[in-house]
């Protein structure tokens, strides 16, 4: 064993340390500030305790709160702290598992009949903070299986014994902090003092090992942070997300509804929601016309044979809506799960030559997929939805150019709707496993480099994932971050070699030979339903003026100004400004308040003075009075306010 080992840091620099150095000591040799923030370390690809000695040359990444793995280690260690606090407060309880989750962690416990509810949260939080302040170290101890079993038999913890049964001797370790010892493979943060803010979030039932034949345990959810401010910010974000929940706002703003009688997961678009949706559709339709798409319409059902040919029947038939039968024996139709097969049949309506390509067919096509009822969620998971679908049929040498055009279209959509923070994922073949993909090597290489080059030319921030491509082609997915920092997947561009093969699509080349076109599926919004849900949550219902269902509310001070109000409203309608007149017999203050609640961008107050002088008094939502103007002046002002949507592609 050599006395010195070589440690390679992420920046590529190599430093020598005595054999047995810990990651924490390495951090300290760099700076004290760094050492104060190190939660764990990745050593030759494995995350481990920062306090663990390193005994070989190694690549070391120090993990802090800013790293996903650092957070996971922090939260998992916090689960031990929660268990320690619970054991002090509820002696005799037994423990299941305590993993980190996306935001925070939980511990499953068997309270053995002791009462525990929301009212007890504060008590547990205080106990956790008290223990955290003691800066208890997490001490690792490798242990034999027999000793581990003896420990938990003595303690009387059947769940840990159950876990131990499945572990191999020689791989088992205990971790102890303060008076609490847990069976755990780690890693953990150096000591509990890093945990500065604690919040219990929820308590729920959970079967041991997720099996309903087992006992129901109590799952305690919590979240912790290294700073109180981070907890405050997080709780604020949760509040904000609740306020922006599209299911809540959709109801309040009368955009959409669900009816049990119509069926779960089948949204009903109300007049205001329909207005919003049509605006969006028209916006994209216009952009698509400019980009050379042709609009088509296809039916909501198709013969079962169509989907046998496409392969959808084999893949999804069993788990989706069952075939529709007709009086004709043996005749079967399916609700359309995808628009692509229909578009392939449109392609085949006449012979195509290389000069006809690319052919870009677009459709706002409604499709139906059977989602499990537990999976349904507002507009984001539904059983019937409308895709802003299009299929591009092109020659292999056109793939890159078409990708660039679609990327431009997607970015135009994002910019117009205020999604400024986006990135993309390029999904390629698994190079180790090429036989599982359809299409020749040459085609794949061409398409993959087309996607990579197109993304680079458009300056996209991308990550590349090998093995994430569909068996029928590589793809590009867009992710956006919304106003609350949440990530949503939007817009996919997918190359497809499969359907042209299955539908035997052809074009005649310049050499008079027959060739297969490449098919590209793309949907910038994904679906109207899901996109509008994201739009609602991102904007909190404060849509851009051009999308607002009601852009103005005309508010007469009393019924004396009814006629003048109608006259103003008609003039505005002629200028394509939408809204309503509030004819109710209510005080003007109430009318203003209601317009604000309905998030109407502009209110026009009409009374004695306005009528006499042919004026409107304008209020802007959230801002108040912005002055009086003539109707013509308001129209000009309004048109200036509808910011030109981002520069057209
Ligand atoms: Zn642990
Ligand atoms: Zn498609």
């Amino acid at each position: 064993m050599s006395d010195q080992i070589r440690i390679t840091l992420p920046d590529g620099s190599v430093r020598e340390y005595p054999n047995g150095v810990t990651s924490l000591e390495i951090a300290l040799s760099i700076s004290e500030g760094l050492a104060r923030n190190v939660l764990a370390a990745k050593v030759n690809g494995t995350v481990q305790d920062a306090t663990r000695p390193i005994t070989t040359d190694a690549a070391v990444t120090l993990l802090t709160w800013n790293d996903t793995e650092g957070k996971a280690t922090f939260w998992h260690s916090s689960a031990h702290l929660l268990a320690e606090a619970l054991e002090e407060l509820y002696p005799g309880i037994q423990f299941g598992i305590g993993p980190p989750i996306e935001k925070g962690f939980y511990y499953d416990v068997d309270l053995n009949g002791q009462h525990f509810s929301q009212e007890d949260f504060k008590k547990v939080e205080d106990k956790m903070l008290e223990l955290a302040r003691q800066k208890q170290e997490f001490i690792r101890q490798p242990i034999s299986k027999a000793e581990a079993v003896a420990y938990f038999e003595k303690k009387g913890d059947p769940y840990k014994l159950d876990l131990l049964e499945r572990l191999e001797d020689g791989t088992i370790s205990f971790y102890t902090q303060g008076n609490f010892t847990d069976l755990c493979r780690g890693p953990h943060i150096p000591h509990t003092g890093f945990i500065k803010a604690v919040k219990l979030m929820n308590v729920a039932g959970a079967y041991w090992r997720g099996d309903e034949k087992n006992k129901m345990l109590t799952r305690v959810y919590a979240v912790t942070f290294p700073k109180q401010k981070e907890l405050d910010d997080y709780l604020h974000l949760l509040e904000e997300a609740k306020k922006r929940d599209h299911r809540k706002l959709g109801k309040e703003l009368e955009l959409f509804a669900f009816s049990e009688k119509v069926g779960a997961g089948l949204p009903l678009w109300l007049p205001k929601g329909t207005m919003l949706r049509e605006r969006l559709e028209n916006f994209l339709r216009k952009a698509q016309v400019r980009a050379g798409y042709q609009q088509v319409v296809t039916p909501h059902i198709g013969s079962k044979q169509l989907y046998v040919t496409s392969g959808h029947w084999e893949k999804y038939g069993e788990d989706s809506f069952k075939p529709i039968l007709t009086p004709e024996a043996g005749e079967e139709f399916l609700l359309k799960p995808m628009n692509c097969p229909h578009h392939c049949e449109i392609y085949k309506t006449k012979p195509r030559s290389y000069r006809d390509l690319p052919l870009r067919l677009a459709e706002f096509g409604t499709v139906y997929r059977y989602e499990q009822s537990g999976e349904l969620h507002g507009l984001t998971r539904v059983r019937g939805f409308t895709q802003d679908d299009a299929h591009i049929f092109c020659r292999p040498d056109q793939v890159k150019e078409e990708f660039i055009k679609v990327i431009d279209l997607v970015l135009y959509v994002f910019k117009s709707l205020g999604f400024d923070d986006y990135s993309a994922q390029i999904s390629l073949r698994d190079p180790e496993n090429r036989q599982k993909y359809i299409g020749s090597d040459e085609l794949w290489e061409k398409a993959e480099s087309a996607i990579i080059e197109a993304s680079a030319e458009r300056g996209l921030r991308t990550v590349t994932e090998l093995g994430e491509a569909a068996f029928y082609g590589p793809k590009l997915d867009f992710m956006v971050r919304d106003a609350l920092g949440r990530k949503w997947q939007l817009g996919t561009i997918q190359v497809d070699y499969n359907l042209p093969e299955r539908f035997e699509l052809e074009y005649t080349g310049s050499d008079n030979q027959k060739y297969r076109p490449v098919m590209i599926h793309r949907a910038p919004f994904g679906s109207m339903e899901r996109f509008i849900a994201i739009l609602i949550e991102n904007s909190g219902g404060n849509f851009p003026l051009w999308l607002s269902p009601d852009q103005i509310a005309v508010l007469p001070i009393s019924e004396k100004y009814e006629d003048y109000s109608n006259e103003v409203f008609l003039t505005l309608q002629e200028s394509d400004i939408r809204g309503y007149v509030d004819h109710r017999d209510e005080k003007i203050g109430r009318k203003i308040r209601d317009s604000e609640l309905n998030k109407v961008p502009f209110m026009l107050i009409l009374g004695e003075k306005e009528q006499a002088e042919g004026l409107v008094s304008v209020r802007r939502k959230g801002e108040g009075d912005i002055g009086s103007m003539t109707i013509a002046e308001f129209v000009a002002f309004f048109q200036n306010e509808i910011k030109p949507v981002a520069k057209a592609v």
Side-chain angles (χ1 to χ4, degrees):
M1 204 161 96
S2 69
D3 306 343
Q4 294 283 312
I5 53 172
R6 289 159 61 82
I7 299 297
T8 310
L9 295 168
D11 65 359
S13 65
V14 179
R15 296 177 179 220
E16 293 224 337
Y17 290 95
N19 195 328
V21 69
T22 67
S23 306
L24 206 52
E25 286 159 355
I26 295 172
L28 198 58
S29 77
I30 298 169
S31 90
E32 249 178 69
L34 178 60
R36 269 199 301 278
N37 289 309
V38 168
L39 300 173
K42 200 188 256 179
V43 178
N44 287 335
T46 307
V47 182
Q48 63 177 46
D49 301 337
T51 50
R52 204 155 161 186
I54 302 170
T55 54
T56 57
D57 290 350
V60 173
T61 306
L62 301 165
L63 301 173
T64 69
W65 179 250
N66 295 325
D67 302 291
T68 312
E69 289 144 319
K71 276 196 184 77
T73 305
F74 187 90
W75 281 329
H76 169 70
S77 306
S78 301
H80 284 248
L81 182 66
L82 169 65
E84 184 184 4
L86 287 171
E87 191 165 57
E88 284 211 9
L89 295 168
Y90 304 89
I93 71 170
Q94 295 156 336
F95 295 95
I97 53 166
I101 52 178
E102 202 196 336
K103 204 79 199 185
F105 56 92
Y106 66 79
Y107 219 121
D108 285 346
V109 296
D110 186 343
L111 288 153
N112 281 317
Q114 300 182 75
H115 177 81
F116 181 76
S117 69
Q118 298 253 350
E119 293 102 69
D120 304 304
F121 283 7
K122 178 82 173 54
K123 186 169 69 182
V124 176
E125 288 161 9
D126 288 346
K127 177 56 84 180
M128 284 174 75
L129 286 172
E130 179 196 320
L131 297 169
R133 278 193 295 270
Q134 295 169 10
K135 298 190 177 173
Q136 300 170 346
E137 285 176 35
F138 284 90
I139 299 161
R140 183 174 184 275
Q141 179 200 356
I143 192 162
S144 73
K145 190 163 176 171
E147 281 176 288
V149 168
Y151 177 86
F152 283 109
E153 270 177 353
K154 183 157 174 254
K155 194 181 174 196
D157 203 324
Y159 306 103
K160 295 292 174 189
L161 288 168
D162 190 21
L163 291 172
L164 268 169
E165 230 169 73
R166 291 154 218 244
L167 294 180
E168 293 277 326
D169 210 352
T171 64
I172 300 169
S173 58
F174 276 5
Y175 274 88
T176 301
Q177 96 272 10
N179 293 320
F180 182 76
T181 295
D182 208 346
L183 168 71
C184 188
R185 78 168 74 86
H188 298 97
I189 58 179
H191 60 77
T192 58
F194 285 85
I195 301 164
K196 294 277 177 24
V198 171
K199 183 89 186 158
L200 266 58
M201 302 301 291
N202 201 2
V203 55
Y207 293 107
W208 173 237
R209 291 192 174 280
D211 185 340
E212 57 189 76
K213 290 198 277 303
N214 290 336
K215 187 166 178 188
M216 169 92 80
L217 304 182
T218 303
R219 179 166 293 180
V220 185
Y221 288 95
V223 66
T224 51
F225 291 92
K227 283 189 185 125
Q228 181 63 37
K229 178 162 186 315
E230 293 214 31
L231 173 60
D232 296 342
D233 289 350
Y234 175 63
L235 294 177
H236 176 71
L237 202 72
L238 282 186
E239 271 311 300
E240 226 9 74
K242 224 186 262 171
K243 273 191 237 156
R244 288 167 178 241
D245 189 322
H246 75 276
R247 295 168 299 176
K248 174 174 169 285
L249 282 174
K251 199 172 194 175
E252 284 169 13
L253 300 176
E254 296 181 19
L255 300 174
F256 60 88
F258 288 93
S259 143
E260 263 178 48
K261 206 150 205 169
V262 172
L266 299 169
L268 301 172
W269 288 88
L270 305 179
K272 286 183 185 182
T274 304
M275 212 129 62
L276 170 64
R277 182 178 155 140
E278 281 181 348
R279 286 255 141 182
L280 268 179
E281 284 186 6
N282 288 338
F283 154 75
L284 188 59
R285 198 173 272 141
K286 260 192 215 161
Q288 288 182 165
V289 168
R290 284 195 298 269
Y293 289 77
Q294 293 169 286
Q295 206 73 26
V296 295
V297 176
T298 65
H300 287 233
I301 64 173
S303 82
K304 181 178 156 190
Q305 203 48 47
L306 179 67
Y307 303 105
V308 171
T309 301
S310 72
H312 291 114
W313 170 252
E314 195 193 348
K315 199 146 194 255
Y316 303 108
E318 273 311 303
D319 304 319
S320 199
F321 289 106
K322 294 296 165 208
I324 302 162
L325 305 180
T326 74
E328 198 72 41
E331 197 173 45
E332 290 180 281
F333 290 89
L334 284 180
L335 277 170
K336 150 164 102 173
M338 298 259 202
N339 302 301
C340 345
H342 289 76
H343 291 188
C344 287
E345 286 300 305
I346 291 180
Y347 181 93
K348 287 180 83 168
T349 51
K350 65 177 190 184
R352 310 279 176 181
S353 106
Y354 69 99
R355 279 185 307 259
D356 302 329
L357 303 184
L359 176 70
R360 309 182 189 92
L361 301 178
E363 175 174 17
F364 289 94
T366 304
V367 296
Y368 301 88
R369 298 180 193 168
Y370 189 79
E371 301 281 354
Q372 297 296 321
S373 54
E375 302 277 303
L376 297 175
H377 181 89
L379 287 183
T380 55
R381 270 314 252 293
V382 286
R383 286 176 176 163
F385 55 95
T386 302
Q387 295 178 310
D388 55 322
D389 211 357
H391 296 99
I392 300 167
F393 301 90
C394 66
R395 304 190 306 259
D397 63 290
Q398 293 171 319
V399 170
K400 179 178 166 190
E401 201 187 327
E402 288 309 304
F403 252 84
I404 289 183
K405 285 189 173 156
V406 181
I407 291 172
D408 285 345
L409 186 67
V410 170
L411 296 187
Y412 168 64
V413 167
F414 288 177
K415 276 190 201 122
S416 304
L417 292 160
F419 293 110
D420 300 323
D421 189 352
Y422 54 82
S423 58
Q425 177 178 316
I426 302 174
S427 300
L428 306 178
R429 267 185 310 181
D430 178 357
E432 310 286 312
N433 204 356
R434 293 198 169 177
Q435 67 285 359
K436 75 173 195 191
Y437 301 95
I438 184 172
S440 72
D441 258 350
E442 193 201 338
L443 280 176
W444 271 85
E445 268 151 32
K446 216 176 214 164
E448 291 188 338
S449 54
I451 298 178
I452 294 166
E453 285 167 29
S455 306
E457 272 178 41
R458 283 305 182 255
L460 291 182
R461 199 147 46 90
T462 55
V463 288
T464 301
E465 296 289 347
L466 297 179
E468 286 291 304
F471 76 92
Y472 51 85
K475 64 172 176 170
L476 182 69
D477 286 307
F478 287 87
M479 313 280 289
V480 296
R481 209 181 267 280
D482 75 5
L484 299 186
R486 298 171 298 180
K487 267 190 168 180
W488 300 87
Q489 202 230 302
L490 273 185
T492 295
I493 318 176
Q494 169 81 58
V495 177
D496 187 347
Y497 298 117
N498 182 39
L499 287 183
E501 199 66 40
R502 284 178 164 264
F503 280 88
E504 301 177 332
L505 305 184
E506 295 179 336
Y507 67 90
T508 309
S510 55
D511 56 1
N512 254 328
Q513 301 292 308
K514 299 286 186 199
Y515 295 95
R516 285 256 183 275
V518 180
M519 188 172 177
I520 299 173
H521 312 250
R522 44 105 284 182
F525 295 153
S527 79
M528 300 310 293
E529 284 71 13
R530 188 160 175 283
F531 189 77
I532 289 174
I534 296 168
L535 205 56
I536 294 170
E537 302 217 353
N538 185 49
S539 67
N542 296 302
F543 302 111
L545 188 53
W546 67 277
L547 268 183
S548 286
D550 288 318
Q551 298 166 316
I552 51 127
V554 178
L555 311 179
I557 286 179
S558 80
E559 60 185 28
K560 273 202 292 184
Y561 312 108
E562 200 94 316
D563 290 345
Y564 181 53
S565 296
N566 289 335
E567 187 190 317
V568 167
F569 185 59
L570 272 179
T571 317
L572 296 178
Q573 272 190 319
E574 276 162 23
S575 303
D576 204 23
I577 299 174
R578 294 180 322 275
Y580 60 90
V581 184
D582 189 343
H583 287 301
R584 293 175 306 163
D585 184 19
E586 293 285 356
K587 291 247 159 51
I588 188 67
R590 173 73 190 272
K591 290 183 181 181
I592 292 175
R593 245 191 340 273
D594 288 348
S595 301
E596 292 260 351
L597 280 176
N598 288 327
K599 305 190 192 282
V600 182
F602 291 105
M603 289 153 263
L604 308 180
I605 320 285
L606 307 185
E608 184 66 52
K609 177 169 169 286
E610 287 78 14
Q611 176 170 292
E613 298 175 27
L615 297 173
V616 293
S617 283
V618 185
R619 288 179 73 90
R620 192 199 288 266
K621 183 180 80 69
E623 250 177 55
D625 190 14
I626 56 170
S628 298
M629 40 190 111
T630 65
I631 302 173
E633 280 168 346
F634 177 73
V635 171
F637 166 81
F638 183 93
Q639 272 151 4
N640 188 43
E641 282 289 314
I642 290 211
K643 300 238 163 37
V645 199
K647 205 169 135 285
V649 281

